[in-house]
Amino acid sequence: MRAFLGRFGALLTGDPKADRVVPPSGAAAWLTLLSAGAMAFLAVFALALSLATGRLAERWAGALTQGATVRISAPAEQMATQTRLVLDILGVTPGVGSARALDAAETKALLAPWFGPDLPVESLPIPQLIEVTETGDGFDAQGLKLRLSAEVPGATLDDHKRWRRPLVAAAERLRSLGLLSLGLIGGAMAAMVTLAAQAALAANGQVIRTLRLVGARDIYIARAFVRRFTLRALAGAAAGTVTGMIAVALLPSADEAGGFLTGLGFAGTGWFWPLAIPPFAAIVAFWATRAAALRTLREVQ
């Protein structure tokens, strides 16, 4: 670690004479800046996706784990009686913390995203919904289903397990894909920086031969390329990260968009995570350029 920090300190101080070996502009310079900026921009969105899906998985798991719904389908004249029976059963069921019947306004709000706000709930044969909240220990779902089917034939228990598991699994897979994307982005940036460094070294073959004739060692020559390309990658990644964070901040909020794709972005201290992208890009560029420079210098005669 001390040696690594020492190398980075040398990068910051630099050597003006050695820096002249690397051209300050050209295709290699633009390739490094643009590739680092583009990869950092994509990395911000991959990181935002990973963090957002992680929050989504936790929210879905927390919201559905301790919740269940009883649906009552019965003729209008029997609906109130059966609702009362279900509430009585739930009131004495171990593991049930609370149970309440949703009123017409709440039912209408639940159906509004699919049927619009003007749905005439009162005149339609819509099932009565009862919201059930579990205690920490939970209740025996199978036993409660059997009791409801025996005493209230029109009642059906949905403990949300069949909905919860696919949703949480999907969110976890999206988070894994986001992390995989970060790894692929880092690999792509390393490949682009390596190609740029090799192109710069090849273009300066005559200068390298001249430096060797006057006694310059390969590590001295390589250090100039490593410093220049590391700083280029750092600058490009910083610009791409700032642009990506601004783009994420401009995404529609949950209140404006609604639905499944809400909350895609950073929250709270999550905004500090993208700040690690430029240093990470610099580290990737450092090792990629160093390896490419030393390998190419061994080949240059």
Side-chain angles (χ1 to χ4, degrees):
M1 178 61 70
R2 183 176 300 175
F4 180 75
L5 293 176
R7 289 171 182 169
F8 261 93
L11 284 178
L12 295 177
T13 57
D15 187 339
K17 295 180 180 179
D19 287 348
R20 295 172 187 169
V21 177
V22 186
S25 61
W30 284 107
L31 177 61
T32 304
L33 285 169
L34 293 178
S35 62
M39 294 300 104
F41 183 85
L42 296 176
V44 171
F45 279 91
L47 183 60
L49 174 65
S50 180
L51 293 176
T53 49
R55 294 194 304 269
L56 192 63
E58 294 175 0
R59 185 166 67 246
W60 280 344
L64 296 176
T65 297
Q66 293 186 335
T69 303
V70 176
R71 184 180 69 255
I72 304 174
S73 299
E77 62 274 10
Q78 299 180 16
M79 186 67 75
T81 302
Q82 293 201 19
T83 300
R84 219 168 23 248
L85 286 173
V86 170
L87 290 174
D88 291 340
I89 293 172
L90 294 172
V92 296
T93 300
V96 174
S98 63
R100 69 180 189 89
L102 301 185
D103 57 27
E106 291 174 307
T107 302
K108 186 175 181 179
L110 289 174
L111 298 176
W114 289 272
F115 299 102
D118 300 325
L119 181 68
V121 176
E122 298 79 4
S123 60
L124 294 176
I126 297 177
Q128 173 66 57
L129 299 179
I130 297 178
E131 181 183 54
V132 182
T133 302
E134 304 178 33
T135 62
D137 297 331
F139 59 82
D140 180 8
Q142 189 60 34
L144 181 57
K145 287 180 181 179
L146 292 175
R147 183 175 179 183
L148 289 174
S149 63
E151 300 185 28
V152 190
T156 303
L157 174 68
D158 182 3
D159 61 357
H160 298 167
K161 286 184 179 179
R162 60 173 180 165
W163 304 103
R164 179 176 69 247
R165 290 170 182 168
L167 289 175
V168 175
E172 291 291 347
R173 289 178 184 176
L174 280 174
R175 178 164 57 180
S176 299
L177 287 175
L179 295 175
L180 177 61
S181 298
L182 286 173
L184 293 175
I185 289 169
M189 192 188 71
M192 296 296 288
V193 173
T194 299
L195 290 175
Q198 289 176 340
L201 285 161
N204 289 269
Q206 188 60 44
V207 176
I208 292 172
R209 295 185 186 94
T210 302
L211 288 172
R212 283 174 169 171
L213 288 175
V214 298
R217 299 175 59 189
D218 284 353
I219 192 64
Y220 173 85
I221 301 171
R223 189 179 297 121
F225 284 90
V226 170
R227 179 177 183 273
R228 183 66 62 85
F229 280 88
T230 299
L231 294 180
R232 286 172 180 170
L234 179 62
T241 299
V242 171
T243 306
M245 292 176 69
I246 293 173
V248 170
L250 294 177
L251 288 175
S253 65
D255 293 336
E256 295 172 349
F260 174 78
L261 293 177
T262 59
L264 179 58
F266 304 105
T269 57
W271 284 100
F272 289 101
W273 281 105
L275 301 180
I277 293 176
F280 176 77
I283 292 173
V284 170
F286 174 85
W287 289 111
T289 307
R290 188 174 186 275
L294 293 177
R295 182 172 59 252
T296 305
L297 287 170
R298 285 195 296 267
E299 297 172 357
V300 175
Q301 300 297 329

